[in-house]
């Protein structure tokens, strides 16, 4: 069997958006019978929340959609650029930080881009819902991730 294609979801803290993107990707690859072809992980640009579980609102949003999630936050490393085929940021700042890191790595093999570039509804930026008090921002993030991950898988599987 050929090696799995590897996708890394990245946001600033790895406690809200990128865990949701990872959970959604994992969930739909399983649903579509594609788990043997894809590996997904997530990571942070910043180191504020290393070792922590996702924000409780992110966990609740996933739970409401039947998605279980057990990963803990970690920071992006140089090795990630050599390991992953696709590295997706959630906003332009993530992309700028990721490209800055990739430029320092002559062995970078990853394609870096916005996850939202795959959104058929054209909502390219997945905004940070961390400072929103309600669940709406998290639900919106989930819906954006679902649309984009579904379209990405249709194009690459
Ligand atoms: P995320 O959200 O990047 O979607 O995980 C954030 C969570 C925490 C912080 C920033 C963004 N923070 O500054 O603590």
């Amino acid at each position: 069997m050929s090696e799995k294609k590897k996708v890394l979801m990245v946001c600033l803290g790895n406690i809200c958006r990128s865990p949701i993107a990872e959970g959604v990707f994992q969930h739909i690859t399983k649903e579509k019978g594609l788990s043997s072809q894809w590996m997904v992980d997530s990571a942070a640009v910043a180191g504020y929340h290393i070792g922590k579980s996702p924000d409780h609102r992110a966990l609740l949003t996933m739970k409401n959609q039947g998605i279980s999630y057990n990963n803990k936050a970690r920071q992006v490393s140089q090795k990630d650029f050599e390991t992953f085929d696709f590295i997706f940021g959630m906003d332009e700042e993530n992309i700028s930080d990721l490209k800055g890191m990739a430029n320092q790595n002559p062995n970078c093999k990853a394609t870096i881009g916005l996850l939202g570039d795959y959104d058929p509804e054209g909502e390219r930026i997945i905004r940070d819902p961390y400072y929103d008090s309600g669940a709406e921002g998290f639900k919106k993030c989930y819906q954006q991730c679902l649309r984009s991950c579904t379209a990405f898988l249709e194009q690459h599987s």
Side-chain angles (χ1 to χ4, degrees):
M1 196 187 75
S2 60
E3 213 184 317
K4 287 185 182 189
K5 284 172 274 187
K6 300 184 181 72
V7 175
L8 184 67
M9 304 295 188
V10 175
C11 63
L12 183 59
N14 194 206
I15 56 165
C16 299
R17 293 166 291 176
S18 59
I20 291 176
E22 179 193 356
V24 165
F25 193 92
Q26 185 86 56
H27 190 74
I28 63 175
T29 47
K30 199 170 170 190
E31 239 175 29
K32 292 171 188 288
L34 297 170
S35 298
S36 63
Q37 294 175 37
W38 291 95
M39 177 272 206
V40 64
D41 194 7
S42 66
V45 169
Y48 315 130
H49 300 285
I50 294 170
K52 289 194 201 156
S53 289
D55 184 281
H56 67 280
R57 296 164 296 178
L59 286 172
L60 184 61
T61 301
M62 287 193 269
K63 193 175 165 202
N64 288 341
Q65 302 295 334
I67 299 172
S68 58
Y69 189 91
N70 292 307
N71 251 356
K72 302 280 195 276
R74 72 169 180 89
Q75 204 165 6
V76 179
S77 72
Q78 277 297 342
K79 189 149 190 300
D80 290 324
F81 295 90
E82 300 166 24
T83 304
F84 287 88
D85 301 290
F86 298 93
I87 301 184
F88 288 126
M90 303 296 134
D91 58 33
E92 300 283 9
E93 205 174 8
N94 300 156
I95 298 301
S96 149
D97 289 336
L98 288 167
K99 289 196 168 161
M101 287 183 80
N103 283 341
Q104 291 166 26
N105 191 332
N107 299 316
C108 172
K109 73 165 186 184
T111 301
I112 297 166
L114 283 170
L115 180 61
D117 272 341
Y118 287 91
D119 186 349
E121 292 187 18
E123 257 193 289
R124 297 178 67 238
I125 305 302
I126 301 177
R127 289 189 200 294
D128 180 1
Y130 186 63
Y131 297 102
D132 294 1
S133 52
E136 268 318 295
F138 284 83
K139 179 93 184 280
K140 183 175 166 67
C141 170
Y142 161 78
Q143 288 164 338
Q144 288 182 271
C145 289
L146 180 61
R147 293 198 302 266
S148 290
C149 290
T150 302
F152 171 80
L153 277 170
E154 274 167 12
Q155 287 179 37
H156 290 89
S157 290

